[in-house]
PDB file of all heavy atoms in Angstrom:
ATOM      1  N   GLY A1309     -24.173 -44.074  28.999  1.00  0.00           N
ATOM      2  CA  GLY A1309     -25.516 -43.774  28.452  1.00  0.00           C
ATOM      3  C   GLY A1309     -26.664 -43.897  29.429  1.00  0.00           C
ATOM      4  O   GLY A1309     -27.797 -43.904  29.059  1.00  0.00           O
ATOM      5  N   GLN A1310     -26.313 -44.015  30.760  1.00  0.00           N
ATOM      6  CA  GLN A1310     -27.349 -44.135  31.787  1.00  0.00           C
ATOM      7  C   GLN A1310     -27.635 -42.708  32.297  1.00  0.00           C
ATOM      8  O   GLN A1310     -27.239 -42.333  33.409  1.00  0.00           O
ATOM      9  CB  GLN A1310     -26.869 -45.075  32.899  1.00  0.00           C
ATOM     10  CG  GLN A1310     -26.588 -46.468  32.402  1.00  0.00           C
ATOM     11  CD  GLN A1310     -26.088 -47.403  33.499  1.00  0.00           C
ATOM     12  OE1 GLN A1310     -26.442 -47.245  34.678  1.00  0.00           O
ATOM     13  NE2 GLN A1310     -25.306 -48.387  33.121  1.00  0.00           N
ATOM     14  N   TYR A1311     -28.427 -41.974  31.501  1.00  0.00           N
ATOM     15  CA  TYR A1311     -28.558 -40.533  31.755  1.00  0.00           C
ATOM     16  C   TYR A1311     -29.407 -40.207  33.004  1.00  0.00           C
ATOM     17  O   TYR A1311     -29.099 -39.270  33.702  1.00  0.00           O
ATOM     18  CB  TYR A1311     -29.146 -39.862  30.519  1.00  0.00           C
ATOM     19  CG  TYR A1311     -28.250 -40.037  29.307  1.00  0.00           C
ATOM     20  CD1 TYR A1311     -28.640 -40.809  28.218  1.00  0.00           C
ATOM     21  CD2 TYR A1311     -26.987 -39.437  29.282  1.00  0.00           C
ATOM     22  CE1 TYR A1311     -27.794 -40.981  27.161  1.00  0.00           C
ATOM     23  CE2 TYR A1311     -26.126 -39.611  28.209  1.00  0.00           C
ATOM     24  CZ  TYR A1311     -26.537 -40.380  27.160  1.00  0.00           C
ATOM     25  OH  TYR A1311     -25.670 -40.538  26.074  1.00  0.00           O
ATOM     26  N   ASP A1312     -30.449 -41.025  33.279  1.00  0.00           N
ATOM     27  CA  ASP A1312     -31.248 -40.782  34.472  1.00  0.00           C
ATOM     28  C   ASP A1312     -30.414 -40.950  35.747  1.00  0.00           C
ATOM     29  O   ASP A1312     -30.512 -40.136  36.684  1.00  0.00           O
ATOM     30  CB  ASP A1312     -32.440 -41.718  34.538  1.00  0.00           C
ATOM     31  CG  ASP A1312     -33.497 -41.340  33.484  1.00  0.00           C
ATOM     32  OD1 ASP A1312     -33.474 -40.158  33.026  1.00  0.00           O
ATOM     33  OD2 ASP A1312     -34.290 -42.209  33.108  1.00  0.00           O
ATOM     34  N   LYS A1313     -29.594 -42.009  35.778  1.00  0.00           N
ATOM     35  CA  LYS A1313     -28.710 -42.271  36.916  1.00  0.00           C
ATOM     36  C   LYS A1313     -27.647 -41.186  36.998  1.00  0.00           C
ATOM     37  O   LYS A1313     -27.308 -40.699  38.125  1.00  0.00           O
ATOM     38  CB  LYS A1313     -28.018 -43.622  36.797  1.00  0.00           C
ATOM     39  CG  LYS A1313     -28.770 -44.760  37.478  1.00  0.00           C
ATOM     40  CD  LYS A1313     -28.631 -44.625  39.017  1.00  0.00           C
ATOM     41  CE  LYS A1313     -29.299 -45.817  39.716  1.00  0.00           C
ATOM     42  NZ  LYS A1313     -29.380 -45.632  41.187  1.00  0.00           N
ATOM     43  N   ALA A1314     -27.097 -40.799  35.883  1.00  0.00           N
ATOM     44  CA  ALA A1314     -26.083 -39.751  35.862  1.00  0.00           C
ATOM     45  C   ALA A1314     -26.648 -38.428  36.435  1.00  0.00           C
ATOM     46  O   ALA A1314     -26.000 -37.793  37.289  1.00  0.00           O
ATOM     47  CB  ALA A1314     -25.626 -39.495  34.422  1.00  0.00           C
ATOM     48  N   ARG A1315     -27.857 -38.104  36.051  1.00  0.00           N
ATOM     49  CA  ARG A1315     -28.523 -36.906  36.548  1.00  0.00           C
ATOM     50  C   ARG A1315     -28.731 -37.010  38.091  1.00  0.00           C
ATOM     51  O   ARG A1315     -28.479 -36.056  38.791  1.00  0.00           O
ATOM     52  CB  ARG A1315     -29.864 -36.719  35.869  1.00  0.00           C
ATOM     53  CG  ARG A1315     -30.677 -35.533  36.404  1.00  0.00           C
ATOM     54  CD  ARG A1315     -31.984 -35.385  35.650  1.00  0.00           C
ATOM     55  NE  ARG A1315     -32.807 -34.345  36.222  1.00  0.00           N
ATOM     56  CZ  ARG A1315     -33.975 -33.922  35.735  1.00  0.00           C
ATOM     57  NH1 ARG A1315     -34.447 -34.498  34.645  1.00  0.00           N
ATOM     58  NH2 ARG A1315     -34.657 -32.983  36.347  1.00  0.00           N
ATOM     59  N   GLU A1316     -29.164 -38.191  38.513  1.00  0.00           N
ATOM     60  CA  GLU A1316     -29.419 -38.416  39.938  1.00  0.00           C
ATOM     61  C   GLU A1316     -28.155 -38.170  40.756  1.00  0.00           C
ATOM     62  O   GLU A1316     -28.183 -37.474  41.824  1.00  0.00           O
ATOM     63  CB  GLU A1316     -29.901 -39.839  40.198  1.00  0.00           C
ATOM     64  CG  GLU A1316     -30.109 -40.223  41.659  1.00  0.00           C
ATOM     65  CD  GLU A1316     -30.370 -41.709  41.842  1.00  0.00           C
ATOM     66  OE1 GLU A1316     -30.836 -42.374  40.857  1.00  0.00           O
ATOM     67  OE2 GLU A1316     -30.079 -42.224  42.950  1.00  0.00           O
ATOM     68  N   TYR A1317     -27.004 -38.695  40.296  1.00  0.00           N
ATOM     69  CA  TYR A1317     -25.750 -38.567  41.072  1.00  0.00           C
ATOM     70  C   TYR A1317     -25.249 -37.102  40.987  1.00  0.00           C
ATOM     71  O   TYR A1317     -24.703 -36.594  41.997  1.00  0.00           O
ATOM     72  CB  TYR A1317     -24.710 -39.548  40.538  1.00  0.00           C
ATOM     73  CG  TYR A1317     -24.927 -40.910  41.069  1.00  0.00           C
ATOM     74  CD1 TYR A1317     -25.248 -41.969  40.206  1.00  0.00           C
ATOM     75  CD2 TYR A1317     -24.756 -41.195  42.395  1.00  0.00           C
ATOM     76  CE1 TYR A1317     -25.432 -43.290  40.688  1.00  0.00           C
ATOM     77  CE2 TYR A1317     -24.979 -42.482  42.873  1.00  0.00           C
ATOM     78  CZ  TYR A1317     -25.298 -43.503  42.058  1.00  0.00           C
ATOM     79  OH  TYR A1317     -25.484 -44.772  42.522  1.00  0.00           O
ATOM     80  N   GLN A1318     -25.371 -36.452  39.861  1.00  0.00           N
ATOM     81  CA  GLN A1318     -24.925 -35.050  39.744  1.00  0.00           C
ATOM     82  C   GLN A1318     -25.763 -34.172  40.678  1.00  0.00           C
ATOM     83  O   GLN A1318     -25.228 -33.216  41.300  1.00  0.00           O
ATOM     84  CB  GLN A1318     -24.962 -34.580  38.334  1.00  0.00           C
ATOM     85  CG  GLN A1318     -24.050 -35.261  37.332  1.00  0.00           C
ATOM     86  CD  GLN A1318     -22.546 -34.999  37.645  1.00  0.00           C
ATOM     87  OE1 GLN A1318     -22.236 -34.314  38.579  1.00  0.00           O
ATOM     88  NE2 GLN A1318     -21.678 -35.569  36.815  1.00  0.00           N
ATOM     89  N   GLU A1319     -27.078 -34.490  40.774  1.00  0.00           N
ATOM     90  CA  GLU A1319     -27.920 -33.679  41.677  1.00  0.00           C
ATOM     91  C   GLU A1319     -27.583 -33.922  43.122  1.00  0.00           C
ATOM     92  O   GLU A1319     -27.671 -33.006  43.938  1.00  0.00           O
ATOM     93  CB  GLU A1319     -29.387 -34.003  41.370  1.00  0.00           C
ATOM     94  CG  GLU A1319     -29.872 -33.395  40.070  1.00  0.00           C
ATOM     95  CD  GLU A1319     -31.285 -33.755  39.674  1.00  0.00           C
ATOM     96  OE1 GLU A1319     -31.828 -34.720  40.235  1.00  0.00           O
ATOM     97  OE2 GLU A1319     -31.893 -33.053  38.808  1.00  0.00           O
ATOM     98  N   LYS A1320     -27.206 -35.167  43.446  1.00  0.00           N
ATOM     99  CA  LYS A1320     -26.757 -35.441  44.855  1.00  0.00           C
ATOM    100  C   LYS A1320     -25.458 -34.665  45.176  1.00  0.00           C
ATOM    101  O   LYS A1320     -25.313 -34.112  46.231  1.00  0.00           O
ATOM    102  CB  LYS A1320     -26.503 -36.948  45.017  1.00  0.00           C
ATOM    103  CG  LYS A1320     -27.771 -37.757  45.170  1.00  0.00           C
ATOM    104  CD  LYS A1320     -27.476 -39.223  45.388  1.00  0.00           C
ATOM    105  CE  LYS A1320     -28.772 -40.035  45.599  1.00  0.00           C
ATOM    106  NZ  LYS A1320     -28.486 -41.476  45.835  1.00  0.00           N
ATOM    107  N   ALA A1321     -24.522 -34.645  44.176  1.00  0.00           N
ATOM    108  CA  ALA A1321     -23.291 -33.919  44.371  1.00  0.00           C
ATOM    109  C   ALA A1321     -23.598 -32.407  44.604  1.00  0.00           C
ATOM    110  O   ALA A1321     -23.089 -31.776  45.531  1.00  0.00           O
ATOM    111  CB  ALA A1321     -22.386 -34.067  43.163  1.00  0.00           C
ATOM    112  N   LEU A1322     -24.504 -31.878  43.761  1.00  0.00           N
ATOM    113  CA  LEU A1322     -24.889 -30.451  43.862  1.00  0.00           C
ATOM    114  C   LEU A1322     -25.475 -30.161  45.224  1.00  0.00           C
ATOM    115  O   LEU A1322     -25.155 -29.116  45.840  1.00  0.00           O
ATOM    116  CB  LEU A1322     -25.823 -30.095  42.747  1.00  0.00           C
ATOM    117  CG  LEU A1322     -26.343 -28.677  42.716  1.00  0.00           C
ATOM    118  CD1 LEU A1322     -25.208 -27.682  42.578  1.00  0.00           C
ATOM    119  CD2 LEU A1322     -27.328 -28.467  41.576  1.00  0.00           C
ATOM    120  N   ALA A1323     -26.370 -31.030  45.682  1.00  0.00           N
ATOM    121  CA  ALA A1323     -27.036 -30.785  46.983  1.00  0.00           C
ATOM    122  C   ALA A1323     -26.041 -30.668  48.128  1.00  0.00           C
ATOM    123  O   ALA A1323     -26.145 -29.801  49.005  1.00  0.00           O
ATOM    124  CB  ALA A1323     -28.069 -31.893  47.247  1.00  0.00           C
ATOM    125  N   ILE A1324     -25.044 -31.586  48.118  1.00  0.00           N
ATOM    126  CA  ILE A1324     -24.018 -31.571  49.189  1.00  0.00           C
ATOM    127  C   ILE A1324     -23.151 -30.332  49.080  1.00  0.00           C
ATOM    128  O   ILE A1324     -22.847 -29.672  50.064  1.00  0.00           O
ATOM    129  CB  ILE A1324     -23.165 -32.870  49.137  1.00  0.00           C
ATOM    130  CG1 ILE A1324     -23.990 -34.107  49.433  1.00  0.00           C
ATOM    131  CG2 ILE A1324     -22.012 -32.753  50.138  1.00  0.00           C
ATOM    132  CD1 ILE A1324     -23.268 -35.405  49.202  1.00  0.00           C
ATOM    133  N   GLN A1325     -22.783 -29.973  47.843  1.00  0.00           N
ATOM    134  CA  GLN A1325     -21.896 -28.806  47.690  1.00  0.00           C
ATOM    135  C   GLN A1325     -22.637 -27.520  48.120  1.00  0.00           C
ATOM    136  O   GLN A1325     -21.991 -26.625  48.726  1.00  0.00           O
ATOM    137  CB  GLN A1325     -21.473 -28.703  46.185  1.00  0.00           C
ATOM    138  CG  GLN A1325     -20.436 -29.746  45.822  1.00  0.00           C
ATOM    139  CD  GLN A1325     -20.455 -30.193  44.383  1.00  0.00           C
ATOM    140  OE1 GLN A1325     -21.323 -29.806  43.632  1.00  0.00           O
ATOM    141  NE2 GLN A1325     -19.501 -31.020  43.997  1.00  0.00           N
ATOM    142  N   LYS A1326     -23.900 -27.440  47.891  1.00  0.00           N
ATOM    143  CA  LYS A1326     -24.681 -26.277  48.356  1.00  0.00           C
ATOM    144  C   LYS A1326     -24.759 -26.322  49.892  1.00  0.00           C
ATOM    145  O   LYS A1326     -24.626 -25.275  50.554  1.00  0.00           O
ATOM    146  CB  LYS A1326     -26.088 -26.254  47.767  1.00  0.00           C
ATOM    147  CG  LYS A1326     -26.073 -25.984  46.262  1.00  0.00           C
ATOM    148  CD  LYS A1326     -27.428 -26.232  45.636  1.00  0.00           C
ATOM    149  CE  LYS A1326     -28.252 -24.964  45.555  1.00  0.00           C
ATOM    150  NZ  LYS A1326     -29.446 -25.183  44.738  1.00  0.00           N
ATOM    151  N   GLU A1327     -24.936 -27.505  50.451  1.00  0.00           N
ATOM    152  CA  GLU A1327     -25.036 -27.666  51.894  1.00  0.00           C
ATOM    153  C   GLU A1327     -23.766 -27.234  52.628  1.00  0.00           C
ATOM    154  O   GLU A1327     -23.808 -26.561  53.666  1.00  0.00           O
ATOM    155  CB  GLU A1327     -25.352 -29.131  52.201  1.00  0.00           C
ATOM    156  CG  GLU A1327     -25.375 -29.502  53.674  1.00  0.00           C
ATOM    157  CD  GLU A1327     -25.264 -31.011  53.897  1.00  0.00           C
ATOM    158  OE1 GLU A1327     -25.864 -31.754  53.107  1.00  0.00           O
ATOM    159  OE2 GLU A1327     -24.604 -31.430  54.839  1.00  0.00           O
ATOM    160  N   ILE A1328     -22.620 -27.622  52.057  1.00  0.00           N
ATOM    161  CA  ILE A1328     -21.336 -27.329  52.733  1.00  0.00           C
ATOM    162  C   ILE A1328     -20.690 -26.010  52.265  1.00  0.00           C
ATOM    163  O   ILE A1328     -19.613 -25.631  52.728  1.00  0.00           O
ATOM    164  CB  ILE A1328     -20.320 -28.506  52.570  1.00  0.00           C
ATOM    165  CG1 ILE A1328     -19.907 -28.694  51.091  1.00  0.00           C
ATOM    166  CG2 ILE A1328     -20.856 -29.780  53.136  1.00  0.00           C
ATOM    167  CD1 ILE A1328     -18.873 -29.755  50.872  1.00  0.00           C
ATOM    168  N   GLY A1329     -21.369 -25.314  51.327  1.00  0.00           N
ATOM    169  CA  GLY A1329     -20.879 -24.018  50.893  1.00  0.00           C
ATOM    170  C   GLY A1329     -19.693 -24.063  49.950  1.00  0.00           C
ATOM    171  O   GLY A1329     -18.924 -23.173  49.863  1.00  0.00           O
ATOM    172  N   ASP A1330     -19.595 -25.170  49.164  1.00  0.00           N
ATOM    173  CA  ASP A1330     -18.511 -25.323  48.193  1.00  0.00           C
ATOM    174  C   ASP A1330     -18.921 -24.718  46.854  1.00  0.00           C
ATOM    175  O   ASP A1330     -19.465 -25.383  45.995  1.00  0.00           O
ATOM    176  CB  ASP A1330     -18.205 -26.846  48.032  1.00  0.00           C
ATOM    177  CG  ASP A1330     -17.071 -27.060  47.014  1.00  0.00           C
ATOM    178  OD1 ASP A1330     -16.519 -26.088  46.483  1.00  0.00           O
ATOM    179  OD2 ASP A1330     -16.799 -28.243  46.733  1.00  0.00           O
ATOM    180  N   ARG A1331     -18.662 -23.424  46.729  1.00  0.00           N
ATOM    181  CA  ARG A1331     -19.134 -22.700  45.541  1.00  0.00           C
ATOM    182  C   ARG A1331     -18.451 -23.168  44.274  1.00  0.00           C
ATOM    183  O   ARG A1331     -19.050 -23.237  43.179  1.00  0.00           O
ATOM    184  CB  ARG A1331     -18.923 -21.178  45.730  1.00  0.00           C
ATOM    185  CG  ARG A1331     -19.710 -20.617  46.877  1.00  0.00           C
ATOM    186  CD  ARG A1331     -21.194 -20.522  46.539  1.00  0.00           C
ATOM    187  NE  ARG A1331     -21.489 -19.369  45.669  1.00  0.00           N
ATOM    188  CZ  ARG A1331     -22.608 -19.244  44.971  1.00  0.00           C
ATOM    189  NH1 ARG A1331     -23.579 -20.136  45.044  1.00  0.00           N
ATOM    190  NH2 ARG A1331     -22.805 -18.169  44.242  1.00  0.00           N
ATOM    191  N   ASP A1332     -17.160 -23.489  44.400  1.00  0.00           N
ATOM    192  CA  ASP A1332     -16.398 -23.974  43.229  1.00  0.00           C
ATOM    193  C   ASP A1332     -16.950 -25.282  42.758  1.00  0.00           C
ATOM    194  O   ASP A1332     -17.209 -25.510  41.554  1.00  0.00           O
ATOM    195  CB  ASP A1332     -14.941 -24.135  43.632  1.00  0.00           C
ATOM    196  CG  ASP A1332     -14.026 -24.423  42.458  1.00  0.00           C
ATOM    197  OD1 ASP A1332     -14.183 -23.775  41.417  1.00  0.00           O
ATOM    198  OD2 ASP A1332     -13.202 -25.344  42.562  1.00  0.00           O
ATOM    199  N   GLY A1333     -17.207 -26.239  43.686  1.00  0.00           N
ATOM    200  CA  GLY A1333     -17.813 -27.496  43.370  1.00  0.00           C
ATOM    201  C   GLY A1333     -19.202 -27.373  42.813  1.00  0.00           C
ATOM    202  O   GLY A1333     -19.615 -28.123  41.895  1.00  0.00           O
ATOM    203  N   GLU A1334     -19.924 -26.407  43.353  1.00  0.00           N
ATOM    204  CA  GLU A1334     -21.312 -26.173  42.912  1.00  0.00           C
ATOM    205  C   GLU A1334     -21.314 -25.767  41.455  1.00  0.00           C
ATOM    206  O   GLU A1334     -22.135 -26.266  40.659  1.00  0.00           O
ATOM    207  CB  GLU A1334     -21.911 -25.050  43.772  1.00  0.00           C
ATOM    208  CG  GLU A1334     -23.411 -24.890  43.636  1.00  0.00           C
ATOM    209  CD  GLU A1334     -23.979 -23.768  44.531  1.00  0.00           C
ATOM    210  OE1 GLU A1334     -23.337 -23.461  45.576  1.00  0.00           O
ATOM    211  OE2 GLU A1334     -24.999 -23.202  44.184  1.00  0.00           O
ATOM    212  N   ALA A1335     -20.390 -24.892  41.115  1.00  0.00           N
ATOM    213  CA  ALA A1335     -20.279 -24.471  39.699  1.00  0.00           C
ATOM    214  C   ALA A1335     -19.988 -25.610  38.754  1.00  0.00           C
ATOM    215  O   ALA A1335     -20.554 -25.745  37.682  1.00  0.00           O
ATOM    216  CB  ALA A1335     -19.187 -23.395  39.575  1.00  0.00           C
ATOM    217  N   THR A1336     -19.066 -26.497  39.216  1.00  0.00           N
ATOM    218  CA  THR A1336     -18.706 -27.676  38.413  1.00  0.00           C
ATOM    219  C   THR A1336     -19.918 -28.582  38.226  1.00  0.00           C
ATOM    220  O   THR A1336     -20.178 -29.075  37.142  1.00  0.00           O
ATOM    221  CB  THR A1336     -17.587 -28.474  39.115  1.00  0.00           C
ATOM    222  OG1 THR A1336     -16.450 -27.669  39.264  1.00  0.00           O
ATOM    223  CG2 THR A1336     -17.200 -29.723  38.307  1.00  0.00           C
ATOM    224  N   SER A1337     -20.715 -28.763  39.286  1.00  0.00           N
ATOM    225  CA  SER A1337     -21.898 -29.636  39.205  1.00  0.00           C
ATOM    226  C   SER A1337     -22.958 -29.050  38.249  1.00  0.00           C
ATOM    227  O   SER A1337     -23.566 -29.786  37.493  1.00  0.00           O
ATOM    228  CB  SER A1337     -22.510 -29.856  40.574  1.00  0.00           C
ATOM    229  OG  SER A1337     -21.707 -30.749  41.333  1.00  0.00           O
ATOM    230  N   TYR A1338     -23.118 -27.720  38.299  1.00  0.00           N
ATOM    231  CA  TYR A1338     -24.067 -27.084  37.365  1.00  0.00           C
ATOM    232  C   TYR A1338     -23.599 -27.338  35.912  1.00  0.00           C
ATOM    233  O   TYR A1338     -24.393 -27.637  35.009  1.00  0.00           O
ATOM    234  CB  TYR A1338     -24.159 -25.594  37.641  1.00  0.00           C
ATOM    235  CG  TYR A1338     -25.086 -25.223  38.762  1.00  0.00           C
ATOM    236  CD1 TYR A1338     -24.627 -24.429  39.826  1.00  0.00           C
ATOM    237  CD2 TYR A1338     -26.413 -25.661  38.779  1.00  0.00           C
ATOM    238  CE1 TYR A1338     -25.469 -24.070  40.853  1.00  0.00           C
ATOM    239  CE2 TYR A1338     -27.248 -25.301  39.816  1.00  0.00           C
ATOM    240  CZ  TYR A1338     -26.815 -24.511  40.873  1.00  0.00           C
ATOM    241  OH  TYR A1338     -27.620 -24.160  41.900  1.00  0.00           O
ATOM    242  N   GLY A1339     -22.307 -27.228  35.718  1.00  0.00           N
ATOM    243  CA  GLY A1339     -21.738 -27.481  34.359  1.00  0.00           C
ATOM    244  C   GLY A1339     -21.965 -28.920  33.922  1.00  0.00           C
ATOM    245  O   GLY A1339     -22.332 -29.189  32.790  1.00  0.00           O
ATOM    246  N   ASP A1340     -21.708 -29.877  34.861  1.00  0.00           N
ATOM    247  CA  ASP A1340     -21.903 -31.283  34.527  1.00  0.00           C
ATOM    248  C   ASP A1340     -23.371 -31.579  34.226  1.00  0.00           C
ATOM    249  O   ASP A1340     -23.715 -32.334  33.302  1.00  0.00           O
ATOM    250  CB  ASP A1340     -21.468 -32.150  35.730  1.00  0.00           C
ATOM    251  CG  ASP A1340     -19.916 -32.131  35.872  1.00  0.00           C
ATOM    252  OD1 ASP A1340     -19.217 -31.857  34.902  1.00  0.00           O
ATOM    253  OD2 ASP A1340     -19.472 -32.427  36.982  1.00  0.00           O
ATOM    254  N   LEU A1341     -24.297 -30.968  35.001  1.00  0.00           N
ATOM    255  CA  LEU A1341     -25.707 -31.180  34.740  1.00  0.00           C
ATOM    256  C   LEU A1341     -26.112 -30.577  33.419  1.00  0.00           C
ATOM    257  O   LEU A1341     -26.887 -31.157  32.661  1.00  0.00           O
ATOM    258  CB  LEU A1341     -26.543 -30.573  35.860  1.00  0.00           C
ATOM    259  CG  LEU A1341     -26.677 -31.464  37.117  1.00  0.00           C
ATOM    260  CD1 LEU A1341     -27.143 -30.649  38.304  1.00  0.00           C
ATOM    261  CD2 LEU A1341     -27.687 -32.585  36.837  1.00  0.00           C
ATOM    262  N   GLY A1342     -25.536 -29.428  33.064  1.00  0.00           N
ATOM    263  CA  GLY A1342     -25.799 -28.805  31.779  1.00  0.00           C
ATOM    264  C   GLY A1342     -25.354 -29.707  30.621  1.00  0.00           C
ATOM    265  O   GLY A1342     -26.072 -29.875  29.653  1.00  0.00           O
ATOM    266  N   THR A1343     -24.222 -30.336  30.774  1.00  0.00           N
ATOM    267  CA  THR A1343     -23.704 -31.269  29.778  1.00  0.00           C
ATOM    268  C   THR A1343     -24.625 -32.468  29.664  1.00  0.00           C
ATOM    269  O   THR A1343     -24.932 -32.937  28.517  1.00  0.00           O
ATOM    270  CB  THR A1343     -22.288 -31.734  30.165  1.00  0.00           C
ATOM    271  OG1 THR A1343     -21.460 -30.587  30.316  1.00  0.00           O
ATOM    272  CG2 THR A1343     -21.702 -32.635  29.097  1.00  0.00           C
TER     273      THR A1343
END
């Protein structure tokens, strides 16, 4: 139930995936953030 922290970590994951070009991981992170 720690949604602000959850959002922070998912956004960090997304930033790295975009940086390293991991499109599959990027899609997963968008989905997790949507949830």
Side-chain angles (χ1 to χ4, degrees):
Q1310 299 180 28
Y1311 299 113
D1312 288 337
K1313 267 288 183 188
R1315 175 179 176 177
E1316 177 189 335
Y1317 281 115
Q1318 295 293 3
E1319 286 176 343
K1320 283 183 177 180
L1322 178 61
I1324 295 171
Q1325 285 151 356
K1326 291 170 94 169
E1327 174 197 322
I1328 64 178
D1330 178 5
R1331 296 288 282 165
D1332 188 45
E1334 192 179 334
T1336 301
S1337 287
Y1338 280 126
D1340 289 339
L1341 277 164
T1343 303

